[in-house]
Amino acid sequence: MAVAVPPGRAAGSGWAWRPVARDALLARAFHSCTELRGRFYLVGGLLAGGTREPSSDTVVFDPARGQAVRLGSRGSPPRSHHDAAPVGGRWLCVVGGWDGSHRLATVTALDTERGVWEAWTATPGDCPPAGLSSHTCTRISDRELQVAGREGGIHTQRRYGSIYTLRLDPSARTYCYKQEGCHIASRSGHCAALLQTPGPHPGHQLLLIGGCNLAEPEVAGHWSHGKIKEEPPVAPHLMEQLARLVSSGQGSQKGPHGLRHHSCSVVGPFAVLFGGETLTRARDTICNDLYIYDTRTSPPLWFHFPCADRGMKRVGHRTCLWNDQLYLVGGFGEDGRTASPQVCILDFLI
Protein backbone atom coordinates (compact mmCIF):
# COMPACT_ATOMS: atom_id res chain seq x y z
CA MET A 1 0.00 0.00 0.00
CA ALA A 2 1.18 3.51 -0.79
CA VAL A 3 2.20 5.57 2.20
CA ALA A 4 1.88 9.29 2.85
CA VAL A 5 5.02 11.26 2.15
CA PRO A 6 6.16 14.08 4.43
CA PRO A 7 6.28 17.54 2.89
CA GLY A 8 9.35 18.22 0.82
CA ARG A 9 10.38 19.43 -2.60
CA ALA A 10 13.09 18.64 -5.09
CA ALA A 11 13.39 22.12 -6.51
CA GLY A 12 14.69 23.78 -9.62
CA SER A 13 14.45 27.46 -10.50
CA GLY A 14 10.77 28.31 -10.04
CA TRP A 15 9.56 24.71 -10.07
CA ALA A 16 9.73 21.56 -7.96
CA TRP A 17 8.72 17.91 -7.85
CA ARG A 18 6.63 17.39 -4.68
CA PRO A 19 6.38 13.79 -3.41
CA VAL A 20 2.78 12.70 -2.81
CA ALA A 21 3.03 8.88 -2.52
CA ARG A 22 5.55 6.10 -2.17
CA ASP A 23 5.05 2.39 -2.83
CA ALA A 24 7.46 -0.41 -3.74
CA LEU A 25 4.94 -1.62 -6.36
CA LEU A 26 5.66 1.53 -8.36
CA ALA A 27 9.46 1.08 -8.40
CA ARG A 28 10.23 0.27 -12.05
CA ALA A 29 11.66 1.85 -15.20
CA PHE A 30 11.03 1.53 -18.93
CA HIS A 31 7.40 0.72 -18.17
CA SER A 32 4.25 2.31 -19.51
CA CYS A 33 2.02 4.50 -17.36
CA THR A 34 -1.36 5.35 -18.87
CA GLU A 35 -4.26 7.29 -17.38
CA LEU A 36 -7.63 5.61 -17.91
CA ARG A 37 -10.80 6.54 -16.01
CA GLY A 38 -8.87 8.40 -13.33
CA ARG A 39 -6.40 5.57 -12.66
CA PHE A 40 -2.79 5.16 -13.74
CA TYR A 41 -2.08 1.72 -15.22
CA LEU A 42 1.60 0.75 -14.92
CA VAL A 43 2.52 -2.21 -17.14
CA GLY A 44 5.76 -4.16 -16.97
CA GLY A 45 9.13 -2.45 -17.01
CA LEU A 46 12.48 -3.36 -15.46
CA LEU A 47 12.56 -3.63 -11.68
CA ALA A 48 16.34 -3.14 -11.40
CA GLY A 49 19.16 -1.95 -13.61
CA GLY A 50 21.21 -4.61 -15.35
CA THR A 51 18.39 -7.11 -15.72
CA ARG A 52 17.08 -8.13 -19.15
CA GLU A 53 13.93 -9.80 -17.84
CA PRO A 54 10.93 -7.46 -17.85
CA SER A 55 8.23 -7.60 -15.22
CA SER A 56 4.80 -9.01 -16.05
CA ASP A 57 3.13 -6.99 -13.28
CA THR A 58 0.26 -4.61 -13.89
CA VAL A 59 -0.10 -2.06 -11.10
CA VAL A 60 -3.01 0.37 -10.77
CA PHE A 61 -2.36 3.66 -8.97
CA ASP A 62 -5.26 5.80 -7.76
CA PRO A 63 -3.96 9.39 -7.71
CA ALA A 64 -6.98 10.65 -5.76
CA ARG A 65 -6.22 8.32 -2.84
CA GLY A 66 -2.50 7.89 -3.35
CA GLN A 67 -2.86 4.09 -3.31
CA ALA A 68 -1.34 1.40 -5.54
CA VAL A 69 -2.53 -2.19 -6.00
CA ARG A 70 -1.26 -5.06 -8.12
CA LEU A 71 -3.85 -6.20 -10.66
CA GLY A 72 -4.52 -9.90 -10.22
CA SER A 73 -5.62 -10.62 -13.81
CA ARG A 74 -3.95 -13.46 -15.69
CA GLY A 75 -2.10 -13.04 -18.94
CA SER A 76 -0.35 -9.78 -18.10
CA PRO A 77 2.48 -9.65 -20.67
CA PRO A 78 6.14 -9.37 -19.65
CA ARG A 79 7.19 -6.14 -21.35
CA SER A 80 9.67 -3.31 -21.16
CA HIS A 81 10.53 -0.47 -23.56
CA HIS A 82 6.98 -0.66 -24.93
CA ASP A 83 4.21 1.91 -25.22
CA ALA A 84 0.51 1.83 -24.38
CA ALA A 85 -2.63 3.79 -25.25
CA PRO A 86 -6.23 3.85 -24.01
CA VAL A 87 -8.91 2.81 -26.51
CA GLY A 88 -12.67 3.23 -26.22
CA GLY A 89 -12.44 4.38 -22.62
CA ARG A 90 -12.15 0.70 -21.69
CA TRP A 91 -9.14 -1.05 -23.21
CA LEU A 92 -5.48 -0.45 -22.47
CA CYS A 93 -3.56 -1.48 -25.60
CA VAL A 94 0.11 -2.41 -25.10
CA VAL A 95 2.06 -2.12 -28.34
CA GLY A 96 5.40 -3.79 -29.07
CA GLY A 97 8.32 -3.83 -26.64
CA TRP A 98 10.84 -6.31 -25.29
CA ASP A 99 9.55 -9.57 -23.75
CA GLY A 100 12.90 -10.84 -22.44
CA SER A 101 13.98 -12.52 -25.66
CA HIS A 102 12.41 -10.68 -28.62
CA ARG A 103 11.34 -7.25 -29.78
CA LEU A 104 7.68 -7.45 -30.67
CA ALA A 105 5.14 -5.56 -32.76
CA THR A 106 2.07 -7.33 -31.35
CA VAL A 107 -0.88 -5.74 -29.55
CA THR A 108 -2.05 -7.04 -26.17
CA ALA A 109 -5.01 -5.34 -24.48
CA LEU A 110 -6.33 -5.14 -20.94
CA ASP A 111 -10.11 -5.00 -20.77
CA THR A 112 -10.38 -2.82 -17.66
CA GLU A 113 -14.08 -3.58 -17.21
CA ARG A 114 -13.52 -7.35 -17.03
CA GLY A 115 -9.98 -7.24 -15.68
CA VAL A 116 -8.78 -9.61 -18.40
CA TRP A 117 -5.77 -9.46 -20.72
CA GLU A 118 -6.37 -10.38 -24.36
CA ALA A 119 -3.92 -11.04 -27.21
CA TRP A 120 -5.44 -9.28 -30.21
CA THR A 121 -5.06 -10.69 -33.72
CA ALA A 122 -3.46 -9.10 -36.77
CA THR A 123 -5.77 -8.78 -39.78
CA PRO A 124 -4.78 -10.36 -43.14
CA GLY A 125 -3.66 -7.00 -44.56
CA ASP A 126 -1.31 -6.31 -41.66
CA CYS A 127 2.16 -4.96 -42.57
CA PRO A 128 3.94 -4.95 -39.18
CA PRO A 129 7.30 -3.44 -38.22
CA ALA A 130 10.28 -5.76 -37.78
CA GLY A 131 10.04 -5.40 -34.01
CA LEU A 132 9.63 -2.36 -31.78
CA SER A 133 11.31 -1.14 -28.60
CA SER A 134 11.71 2.36 -27.17
CA HIS A 135 9.20 3.58 -29.78
CA THR A 136 6.20 5.88 -29.38
CA CYS A 137 2.46 5.38 -29.91
CA THR A 138 0.37 8.53 -30.28
CA ARG A 139 -3.43 8.58 -30.37
CA ILE A 140 -4.72 10.20 -33.57
CA SER A 141 -8.26 9.01 -32.96
CA ASP A 142 -9.89 6.56 -30.60
CA ARG A 143 -9.05 3.70 -32.95
CA GLU A 144 -5.89 4.93 -34.64
CA LEU A 145 -2.34 5.28 -33.34
CA GLN A 146 0.74 6.72 -34.98
CA VAL A 147 3.75 4.49 -34.24
CA ALA A 148 7.25 5.90 -34.72
CA GLY A 149 10.74 4.69 -33.94
CA ARG A 150 13.59 2.41 -34.79
CA GLU A 151 12.79 -1.17 -35.77
CA GLY A 152 14.66 -4.37 -35.01
CA GLY A 153 17.66 -5.18 -32.83
CA ILE A 154 21.12 -3.64 -32.67
CA HIS A 155 22.41 -5.64 -35.65
CA THR A 156 19.40 -4.99 -37.92
CA GLN A 157 18.82 -1.28 -37.37
CA ARG A 158 18.47 0.89 -40.44
CA ARG A 159 19.82 4.37 -40.91
CA TYR A 160 16.30 5.73 -40.92
CA GLY A 161 13.07 5.05 -39.04
CA SER A 162 9.58 4.39 -40.30
CA ILE A 163 6.13 5.66 -39.39
CA TYR A 164 3.21 3.27 -39.11
CA THR A 165 -0.49 3.87 -38.71
CA LEU A 166 -1.90 1.26 -36.34
CA ARG A 167 -5.67 0.75 -36.64
CA LEU A 168 -7.46 -0.99 -33.77
CA ASP A 169 -10.86 -2.70 -33.69
CA PRO A 170 -11.86 -3.48 -30.08
CA SER A 171 -15.09 -5.24 -31.05
CA ALA A 172 -13.19 -7.73 -33.23
CA ARG A 173 -10.03 -7.71 -31.06
CA THR A 174 -7.92 -7.05 -34.16
CA TYR A 175 -5.23 -4.64 -35.30
CA CYS A 176 -3.56 -3.68 -38.57
CA TYR A 177 -0.31 -1.82 -39.29
CA LYS A 178 0.11 0.30 -42.39
CA GLN A 179 3.54 1.69 -43.23
CA GLU A 180 3.47 5.34 -44.27
CA GLY A 181 5.54 6.55 -47.21
CA CYS A 182 7.81 8.96 -45.36
CA HIS A 183 10.98 8.14 -43.43
CA ILE A 184 12.28 9.77 -40.28
CA ALA A 185 15.64 9.90 -38.54
CA SER A 186 16.54 6.64 -36.79
CA ARG A 187 15.39 7.22 -33.21
CA SER A 188 15.11 5.13 -30.06
CA GLY A 189 14.04 6.37 -26.64
CA HIS A 190 12.53 9.55 -28.11
CA CYS A 191 9.20 11.15 -27.26
CA ALA A 192 6.28 12.20 -29.44
CA ALA A 193 4.11 15.30 -28.98
CA LEU A 194 0.90 15.97 -30.89
CA LEU A 195 0.58 19.76 -30.86
CA GLN A 196 -1.70 22.29 -32.52
CA THR A 197 -0.20 24.46 -35.24
CA PRO A 198 -0.67 28.23 -34.80
CA GLY A 199 -2.92 30.33 -36.99
CA PRO A 200 -6.60 31.17 -37.52
CA HIS A 201 -7.36 27.59 -38.66
CA PRO A 202 -5.06 25.46 -36.52
CA GLY A 203 -4.21 21.94 -37.55
CA HIS A 204 -2.00 19.44 -35.76
CA GLN A 205 1.52 18.18 -36.16
CA LEU A 206 3.29 15.24 -34.56
CA LEU A 207 6.78 16.12 -33.35
CA LEU A 208 9.47 13.59 -32.45
CA ILE A 209 12.04 14.82 -29.94
CA GLY A 210 15.31 13.18 -28.88
CA GLY A 211 16.35 9.55 -29.24
CA CYS A 212 19.30 10.49 -31.49
CA ASN A 213 21.95 13.20 -31.80
CA LEU A 214 19.60 15.72 -33.40
CA ALA A 215 18.51 18.68 -31.28
CA GLU A 216 15.61 19.87 -33.44
CA PRO A 217 12.16 18.28 -33.29
CA GLU A 218 11.21 16.35 -36.41
CA VAL A 219 7.74 16.58 -37.93
CA ALA A 220 6.42 13.03 -38.33
CA GLY A 221 2.91 13.93 -39.42
CA HIS A 222 0.67 16.86 -40.22
CA TRP A 223 -3.13 17.10 -40.17
CA SER A 224 -5.19 20.03 -41.41
CA HIS A 225 -7.86 21.82 -39.41
CA GLY A 226 -10.64 19.52 -38.21
CA LYS A 227 -8.95 16.25 -39.16
CA ILE A 228 -8.07 15.26 -35.59
CA LYS A 229 -11.01 14.98 -33.21
CA GLU A 230 -9.01 14.05 -30.12
CA GLU A 231 -9.95 16.12 -27.08
CA PRO A 232 -6.80 16.78 -25.04
CA PRO A 233 -7.06 16.81 -21.23
CA VAL A 234 -8.17 20.16 -19.88
CA ALA A 235 -5.55 21.65 -17.55
CA PRO A 236 -6.14 25.43 -17.39
CA HIS A 237 -4.35 26.00 -14.08
CA LEU A 238 -1.28 23.99 -15.11
CA MET A 239 -1.18 25.84 -18.45
CA GLU A 240 -1.26 29.17 -16.61
CA GLN A 241 1.58 28.07 -14.32
CA LEU A 242 3.70 26.89 -17.26
CA ALA A 243 3.10 30.21 -19.01
CA ARG A 244 4.33 32.06 -15.92
CA LEU A 245 7.39 29.85 -15.68
CA VAL A 246 8.47 30.37 -19.28
CA SER A 247 7.89 34.13 -18.92
CA SER A 248 10.63 34.07 -16.27
CA GLY A 249 13.10 32.28 -18.56
CA GLN A 250 15.09 32.93 -21.71
CA GLY A 251 13.84 31.08 -24.78
CA SER A 252 16.01 29.49 -27.44
CA GLN A 253 15.36 27.89 -30.80
CA LYS A 254 17.73 25.05 -29.85
CA GLY A 255 16.37 22.21 -27.75
CA PRO A 256 18.10 19.49 -25.71
CA HIS A 257 20.79 17.74 -27.72
CA GLY A 258 21.10 13.95 -27.70
CA LEU A 259 18.46 13.25 -25.05
CA ARG A 260 16.74 9.86 -24.78
CA HIS A 261 14.50 7.90 -22.40
CA HIS A 262 13.06 11.14 -21.04
CA SER A 263 9.39 11.82 -20.33
CA CYS A 264 7.07 14.08 -22.29
CA SER A 265 3.54 15.32 -21.65
CA VAL A 266 1.55 17.77 -23.77
CA VAL A 267 -0.21 20.50 -21.80
CA GLY A 268 -2.09 22.79 -24.18
CA PRO A 269 0.51 24.61 -26.33
CA PHE A 270 3.41 23.25 -24.24
CA ALA A 271 5.40 20.02 -24.47
CA VAL A 272 6.91 19.35 -21.03
CA LEU A 273 10.05 17.17 -21.01
CA PHE A 274 11.88 15.93 -17.94
CA GLY A 275 14.99 13.91 -17.16
CA GLY A 276 16.39 11.25 -19.46
CA GLU A 277 19.87 10.25 -20.50
CA THR A 278 22.17 12.43 -22.54
CA LEU A 279 24.28 11.10 -25.39
CA THR A 280 26.61 14.11 -25.28
CA ARG A 281 28.87 13.06 -22.39
CA ALA A 282 30.48 9.85 -21.16
CA ARG A 283 29.90 10.39 -17.42
CA ASP A 284 27.00 11.62 -15.31
CA THR A 285 24.64 10.91 -18.20
CA ILE A 286 21.32 10.78 -16.30
CA CYS A 287 19.57 14.15 -16.15
CA ASN A 288 17.13 16.07 -13.93
CA ASP A 289 16.44 19.03 -16.22
CA LEU A 290 13.01 20.39 -17.13
CA TYR A 291 12.51 21.52 -20.74
CA ILE A 292 9.40 23.30 -22.00
CA TYR A 293 8.66 23.63 -25.71
CA ASP A 294 6.38 26.63 -26.25
CA THR A 295 4.44 26.63 -29.54
CA ARG A 296 2.65 29.94 -28.90
CA THR A 297 5.43 31.79 -30.67
CA SER A 298 6.64 31.54 -34.26
CA PRO A 299 9.10 29.93 -34.39
CA PRO A 300 8.45 27.90 -31.20
CA LEU A 301 10.93 28.34 -28.37
CA TRP A 302 12.65 26.02 -25.91
CA PHE A 303 13.01 26.91 -22.23
CA HIS A 304 15.51 25.08 -20.05
CA PHE A 305 15.11 24.91 -16.25
CA PRO A 306 17.87 22.97 -14.45
CA CYS A 307 17.49 21.22 -11.09
CA ALA A 308 20.16 21.18 -8.39
CA ASP A 309 18.84 18.07 -6.63
CA ARG A 310 20.75 15.02 -7.88
CA GLY A 311 18.19 12.82 -6.15
CA MET A 312 15.70 13.76 -8.86
CA LYS A 313 17.76 12.39 -11.74
CA ARG A 314 15.53 10.02 -13.70
CA VAL A 315 15.70 7.79 -16.76
CA GLY A 316 13.04 5.43 -18.11
CA HIS A 317 10.33 7.20 -16.07
CA ARG A 318 6.89 8.46 -17.12
CA THR A 319 4.77 11.57 -16.59
CA CYS A 320 0.98 11.50 -16.57
CA LEU A 321 -1.50 14.38 -16.73
CA TRP A 322 -4.58 14.11 -14.51
CA ASN A 323 -6.87 16.56 -12.72
CA ASP A 324 -4.88 19.62 -13.83
CA GLN A 325 -1.64 18.22 -12.39
CA LEU A 326 1.43 16.54 -13.86
CA TYR A 327 2.59 13.35 -12.11
CA LEU A 328 6.05 11.76 -12.23
CA VAL A 329 6.08 7.97 -11.82
CA GLY A 330 9.00 5.52 -11.60
CA GLY A 331 12.32 5.55 -13.41
CA PHE A 332 15.90 4.70 -12.44
CA GLY A 333 17.82 7.24 -10.39
CA GLU A 334 21.32 8.64 -10.68
CA ASP A 335 23.02 5.23 -10.58
CA GLY A 336 20.92 3.95 -13.49
CA ARG A 337 20.05 0.85 -11.47
CA THR A 338 17.76 1.76 -8.56
CA ALA A 339 14.09 2.29 -9.40
CA SER A 340 12.22 5.07 -7.64
CA PRO A 341 9.08 4.10 -5.68
CA GLN A 342 7.93 7.72 -5.48
CA VAL A 343 5.08 9.54 -7.13
CA CYS A 344 5.61 13.29 -7.43
CA ILE A 345 3.56 16.26 -8.64
CA LEU A 346 5.04 19.21 -10.52
CA ASP A 347 4.77 22.33 -8.33
CA PHE A 348 5.62 25.92 -9.15
CA LEU A 349 7.39 28.38 -6.87
CA ILE A 350 6.54 31.58 -8.74
Side-chain angles (χ1 to χ4, degrees):
M1 178 179 290
V3 297
V5 175
R9 286 185 171 90
S13 176
W15 62 279
W17 287 111
R18 175 168 57 90
V20 293
R22 183 184 183 92
D23 194 305
L25 290 175
L26 304 171
R28 59 193 65 226
F30 302 103
H31 55 295
S32 59
C33 181
T34 312
E35 188 273 326
L36 183 57
R37 293 182 173 180
R39 303 289 191 273
F40 295 170
Y41 287 81
L42 282 73
V43 177
L46 302 178
L47 303 185
T51 181
R52 288 175 55 84
E53 296 297 322
S55 168
S56 59
D57 277 355
T58 301
V59 174
V60 182
F61 176 71
D62 182 347
R65 297 184 177 182
Q67 295 179 347
V69 295
R70 180 183 284 112
L71 201 63
S73 59
R74 294 181 179 179
S76 181
R79 292 287 187 276
S80 69
H81 301 81
H82 56 286
D83 208 355
V87 175
R90 172 177 172 177
W91 287 273
L92 177 67
C93 290
V94 172
V95 179
W98 172 254
D99 71 351
S101 56
H102 300 95
R103 291 171 177 84
L104 308 173
T106 54
V107 175
T108 305
L110 173 67
D111 184 340
T112 60
E113 288 187 359
R114 297 167 52 225
V116 174
W117 281 97
E118 305 166 333
W120 287 11
T121 306
T123 62
D126 184 51
C127 181
L132 296 166
S133 64
S134 300
H135 55 290
T136 53
C137 294
T138 307
R139 276 173 55 106
I140 303 303
S141 71
D142 193 40
R143 307 230 174 154
E144 188 173 290
L145 308 179
Q146 203 83 357
V147 181
R150 186 182 297 161
E151 300 173 54
I154 295 175
H155 301 296
T156 59
Q157 290 167 2
R158 293 180 288 192
R159 298 178 66 182
Y160 58 85
S162 299
I163 301 173
Y164 290 82
T165 297
L166 176 59
R167 291 187 172 87
L168 305 163
D169 186 346
S171 60
R173 288 6 181 218
T174 60
Y175 64 91
C176 183
Y177 284 96
K178 176 192 173 186
Q179 185 172 2
E180 300 298 332
C182 57
H183 287 147
I184 55 174
S186 181
R187 296 176 186 266
S188 179
H190 57 286
C191 68
L194 184 64
L195 292 157
Q196 278 198 343
T197 55
H201 302 288
H204 287 82
Q205 61 182 5
L206 180 64
L207 299 182
L208 305 181
I209 304 168
C212 63
N213 280 319
L214 299 176
E216 298 79 17
E218 183 176 13
V219 177
H222 187 274
W223 295 264
S224 58
H225 178 68
K227 292 292 184 181
I228 289 186
K229 308 297 184 183
E230 280 292 279
E231 292 292 335
V234 177
H237 182 57
L238 182 56
M239 282 174 52
E240 180 183 346
Q241 291 175 313
L242 289 168
R244 288 181 183 175
L245 183 62
V246 299
S247 69
S248 70
Q250 183 68 41
S252 169
Q253 292 185 35
K254 290 188 177 181
H257 186 77
L259 194 64
R260 66 178 180 179
H261 302 310
H262 47 289
S263 63
C264 176
S265 292
V266 173
V267 185
F270 305 107
V272 182
L273 281 64
F274 177 71
E277 178 184 30
T278 180
L279 299 169
T280 60
R281 54 182 184 258
R283 289 184 170 186
D284 194 25
T285 59
I286 298 177
C287 307
N288 54 0
D289 303 80
L290 184 72
Y291 289 93
I292 300 175
Y293 186 64
D294 185 356
T295 65
R296 297 174 302 167
T297 60
S298 183
L301 293 176
W302 283 99
F303 293 84
H304 176 206
F305 299 95
C307 174
D309 186 351
R310 300 182 68 87
M312 286 309 300
K313 288 176 176 285
R314 291 288 186 276
V315 64
H317 54 289
R318 294 282 184 164
T319 52
C320 263
L321 183 60
W322 178 77
N323 196 29
D324 215 352
Q325 292 178 313
L326 191 63
Y327 287 76
L328 170 67
V329 184
F332 290 144
E334 183 178 10
D335 63 0
R337 303 180 65 87
T338 306
S340 171
Q342 276 191 337
V343 177
C344 300
I345 288 176
L346 184 61
D347 265 357
F348 296 88
L349 312 178
I350 55 175

